[in-house]
Amino acid sequence: DGTVRMVVASAPTINFPRNSRPSQARNRAIIGSAPLTAWQPSYTITAGGATSQRRVPCQSISHPAHYTGTSLVTVYTLDIADPNGGAAPVSVAADGDTVYATADSLYVASNPDWWTFGKHTQQTEIHRFDITGARRPTYLGSASVPGRLLSQYSLSDYAGYLRVATTSVGPHPYSGVYDLDAATLASVGSVAGLGKGEQIYAVRFAGPLAYVVTFRQTDPLYVVDLTDPAHPKVAGSLQLTGYSSYLHDAGDGRLIGVGEQIAADNEPDGLQVSLFDVSDPSAPLRTAHVVRNDSGGGEQLDPHAFLYWQPTGLVTVPVQSWSRNQSGAALVLRVNGSKLTTVGTVRNPLGTAVPDDGQGIVRSMLVDGRLWTLSSSGLQVLDPISLHRDAWIEFS
């Protein structure tokens, strides 16, 4: 509705002398003598040809009940229709690099680095803001859960509860799903110990269920029943070779997984797209899968690059290949009931996509019944059934 929420992380501007032996007493003195402005996030507003320098006022800066760091997370609210209206900033003294939002709540979470495992217990800090309407956000509170998030898909606000999936890394990693009361962020229930010795590779929440993929050598797909937030439980699981790094709800009790097939020597063996029947949470089943050897793309798949159009079952996945003449393409599949079939492979016109030059297909979309693909070299329009190219629009 014309309102932009922008989340910015910043650090205090305190200058410690270089080329001198560090001293805790000296550092404390420098911090103590730093001006207040060193801690206030600053920003500029440019509108109507004029630019003004501003800082987040002290009354708009909060801190969690428990210390979470010296960085600051600021949420700016911008009204596109009124560029002179300011940015209505709200800050909290905390770290944050993962953002997830609903229509009325914005969550910012910190993600501890993998390399810190074994040094201390990893905790993901979560901070909630009220973003109802177009007004200035309100900081509501913070909480923490064990482990580390995979991405924003690891968070889900549903029916008054915030569900969080994390991996606790260490000599014996394990994963879990945690239920928090969305209003208070108080812990309600959890199910831990998923994939012992493994870490999460994909998460997808769908209503009262969570689908969690962990991986080390095989791919356990867990179906977690969150119907009772105080007592979540594993309803069923499925063991497969390889793994899915992205999961997509295909409707009608089906789930699409995109990832990597793993060979017997535990090395990646190609892009793998799987179709799962999850209509019975206690007995998930893979009904079909397509493997494209000598191809990658599933491991680091950008979810925005995945296309699924349920009315026709069309699936499009970008493909990166170790074979130079196969890279930069898009694999087109079709879901029909419990079947997954290959329609074909889409590439840019010959001569426009040199392997490894960054000109491969990165996005696809259906527009008025035609399949459009995007690369840095141009747009093409295709028939989604025959994959016949109707037009090529080259970027000059």
Side-chain angles (χ1 to χ4, degrees):
D1 296 329
T3 301
V4 176
R5 310 286 186 181
M6 184 168 62
V7 182
V8 177
S10 61
T13 53
I14 298 176
N15 297 316
F16 296 96
R18 298 181 179 180
N19 303 322
S20 63
R21 188 173 182 176
S23 162
Q24 188 180 71
R26 181 209 64 182
N27 289 346
R28 285 181 177 274
I30 293 172
I31 293 172
S33 63
L36 182 62
T37 54
W39 300 87
Q40 294 172 273
S42 63
Y43 61 99
T44 59
I45 295 290
T46 301
T51 299
S52 61
Q53 180 79 27
R54 306 183 188 184
R55 294 187 181 276
V56 178
C58 290
Q59 61 267 30
S60 296
I61 302 176
S62 303
H63 66 81
H66 302 285
Y67 173 81
T68 59
T70 56
S71 299
L72 292 108
V73 170
T74 303
V75 181
Y76 296 93
T77 298
L78 309 174
D79 184 351
I80 295 178
D82 182 17
N84 294 301
V90 172
S91 299
V92 59
D95 291 321
D97 54 16
T98 301
V99 176
Y100 165 73
T102 67
D104 54 16
S105 293
L106 185 146
Y107 298 92
V108 182
S110 66
N111 232 358
D113 294 326
W114 288 120
W115 60 265
T116 60
F117 75 88
K119 295 184 179 181
H120 60 81
T121 302
Q122 288 185 330
Q123 294 284 325
T124 294
E125 308 287 343
I126 304 170
H127 316 285
R128 182 187 176 210
F129 297 85
D130 181 355
I131 55 170
T132 304
R135 57 182 174 80
R136 180 195 303 268
T138 302
Y139 167 62
L140 297 177
S142 300
S144 66
V145 296
R148 186 182 192 276
L149 301 174
L150 175 68
S151 66
Q152 66 268 40
Y153 286 90
S154 302
L155 298 163
S156 169
D157 185 323
Y158 176 80
Y161 295 92
L162 176 68
R163 294 91 62 85
V164 187
T166 65
T167 294
S168 295
V169 184
H172 306 287
Y174 66 90
S175 301
V177 180
Y178 303 87
D179 279 322
L180 307 178
D181 186 301
T184 64
L185 294 185
S187 178
V188 176
S190 66
V191 54
L194 304 179
K196 292 182 178 179
E198 303 173 337
Q199 65 189 52
I200 289 178
Y201 268 59
V203 182
R204 198 64 189 241
F205 291 93
L209 299 176
Y211 304 105
V212 180
V213 170
T214 63
F215 175 75
R216 186 172 182 181
Q217 187 169 6
T218 57
D219 169 5
L221 169 66
Y222 294 98
V223 181
V224 182
D225 187 347
L226 302 168
T227 304
D228 181 358
H231 302 95
K233 62 182 180 180
V234 175
S237 64
L238 177 65
Q239 295 279 343
L240 299 167
T241 58
Y243 63 86
S244 297
S245 60
Y246 176 71
L247 298 172
H248 194 92
D249 184 2
D252 299 325
R254 298 169 301 176
L255 191 69
I256 299 171
V258 181
E260 298 276 356
Q261 170 69 19
I262 301 298
D265 58 0
N266 206 32
E267 292 296 324
D269 195 33
L271 173 70
Q272 178 176 260
V273 183
S274 300
L275 181 64
F276 300 99
D277 180 348
V278 290
S279 56
D280 180 359
S282 66
L285 176 69
R286 185 169 73 176
T287 61
H289 71 288
V290 171
V291 176
R292 185 184 174 98
N293 298 115
D294 298 326
S295 299
E299 182 179 1
Q300 300 295 333
L301 177 69
D302 182 343
H304 296 97
F306 175 87
L307 170 65
Y308 172 63
W309 184 244
Q310 186 170 348
T312 61
L314 185 76
V315 176
T316 307
V317 183
V319 174
Q320 300 301 324
S321 176
W322 303 304
S323 300
R324 290 180 59 83
N325 64 341
Q326 299 292 318
S327 195
L331 178 64
V332 182
L333 309 168
R334 193 172 303 280
V335 173
N336 184 8
S338 61
K339 297 180 180 179
L340 180 66
T341 57
T342 301
V343 178
T345 302
V346 175
R347 294 185 180 87
N348 287 335
L350 212 59
T352 63
V354 181
D356 301 323
D357 69 350
Q359 295 186 7
I361 294 171
V362 294
R363 294 289 188 275
S364 59
M365 179 179 288
L366 276 172
V367 181
D368 291 334
R370 315 308 285 175
L371 177 62
W372 289 62
T373 66
L374 168 71
S375 68
S376 62
S377 56
L379 285 163
Q380 63 178 327
V381 187
L382 307 110
D383 181 288
I385 298 176
S386 66
L387 300 187
H388 176 269
R389 183 183 298 116
D390 295 332
W392 165 250
I393 307 167
E394 187 170 5
F395 297 153
S396 56

